């Protein structure tokens, strides 16, 4: 289990982890079967950093919305690599980490859709509409904004490069595999 799920399990919450197939894909029927009236939150990574699998976020969102369950996705590996349109998305909360976009380490974003119930992690001042206490790190926020702007500007170019590398890598693997 991940750090958050381990923590929640220790606090008495029931945490359900879903399996993936040999390709690293999620079984959406297993997801549907795992949901109960007590399910408080659905959360999944948008893209797996080890396998490269991009999960069917909108389909998952439909399943969770049909049950009235808030939906969070860890978009750390997706931000700057996959177009993210939060206005059209079924995601209620999305987290990203700035250093994955070449922004300074230590800055990130928790997007929360308007109307989504949320309890603050840190109680304090009026920052972020009462959702977070503490002084805002304005230079890092500006750095993250610029990194997002540049990532969006170069998204197509980067995806073309990555696609080519993926094809070369796959071909190299099979050539090496055949010589074993």
């Amino acid at each position: 289990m991940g750090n958050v799920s381990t923590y929640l399990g220790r606090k008495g919450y029931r945490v359900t982890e879903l399996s993936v197939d040999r390709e690293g894909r999620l079984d959406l029927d297993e997801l549907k079967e795992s949901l109960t009236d007590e399910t408080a939150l659905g959360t999944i990574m948008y893209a797996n950093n080890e396998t490269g699998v991009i999960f069917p976020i909108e389909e998952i969102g439909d399943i969770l919305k049909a049950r009235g369950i808030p939906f969070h996705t860890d978009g750390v590996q997706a931000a700057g690599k996959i177009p993210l349109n939060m206005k059209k998305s079924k995601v209620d909360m999305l987290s990203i980490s700035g250093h994955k976009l070449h922004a300074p380490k230590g800055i990130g974003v928790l997007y929360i859709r308007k109307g989504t119930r949320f309890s603050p992690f840190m109680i304090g001042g009026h920052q972020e509409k009462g959702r977070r206490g503490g002084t805002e790190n304005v230079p890092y926020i500006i750095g993250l904004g610029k990194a997002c702007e540049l990532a969006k500007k170069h998204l197509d170019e980067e995806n073309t490069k990555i696609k080519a590398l993926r094809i070369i890598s796959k071909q190299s693997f099979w050539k090496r595999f055949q010589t074993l």
Side-chain angles (χ1 to χ4, degrees):
M1 275 200 265
N3 293 337
V4 173
S5 55
T6 301
Y7 172 80
L8 291 173
R10 288 183 184 149
K11 290 289 187 184
Y13 291 91
R14 188 180 61 183
V15 177
T16 304
E17 290 189 351
L18 303 178
S19 57
V20 292
D21 67 14
R22 292 185 66 176
E23 303 292 320
R25 295 175 304 215
L26 186 67
D27 179 348
L28 295 181
D29 289 329
E30 182 185 4
L31 169 63
K32 290 175 191 173
E33 292 167 14
S34 73
L35 301 175
T36 71
D37 292 339
E38 295 179 346
T39 303
L41 177 70
T43 184
I44 188 169
M45 57 184 6
Y46 202 118
N48 186 295
N49 57 308
E50 293 178 2
T51 65
V53 169
I54 299 169
F55 292 97
I57 296 302
E58 297 310 314
E59 291 175 65
I60 294 168
D62 286 336
I63 292 166
L64 295 172
K65 290 285 177 229
R67 298 285 304 264
I69 300 168
F71 182 29
H72 167 264
T73 187
D74 173 347
V76 170
Q77 297 298 331
K81 299 168 190 80
I82 300 170
L84 302 175
N85 184 337
M86 300 314 295
K87 287 183 182 179
K88 294 181 179 178
S89 177
K90 305 279 184 353
V91 173
D92 296 307
M93 294 173 278
L94 172 89
S95 50
I96 65 172
S97 184
H99 74 278
K100 294 292 186 172
L101 295 162
H102 308 292
K105 285 186 178 187
I107 186 71
V109 172
L110 174 60
Y111 162 85
I112 304 171
R113 180 175 305 287
K114 187 175 183 175
T116 300
R117 289 181 36 209
F118 179 81
S119 295
F121 172 68
M122 295 188 323
I123 307 298
H126 66 281
Q127 299 87 341
E128 308 300 328
K129 299 180 182 176
R131 293 183 174 147
R132 181 187 189 282
T135 303
E136 295 165 331
N137 189 339
V138 176
Y140 277 33
I141 293 169
I142 291 169
L144 177 58
K146 187 64 175 179
C148 288
E149 180 184 311
L150 291 170
K152 182 178 179 183
K153 180 179 178 182
H154 298 287
L155 189 65
D156 291 337
E157 176 186 332
E158 285 298 313
N159 280 335
T160 301
K161 285 181 191 175
I162 296 298
K163 217 176 264 185
L165 290 171
R166 196 174 288 140
I167 290 167
I168 291 168
S169 177
K170 200 174 203 179
Q171 290 170 345
S172 298
F173 168 78
W174 285 113
K175 283 179 186 176
R176 278 190 249 138
F177 181 75
Q178 291 170 348
T179 61
L180 295 176

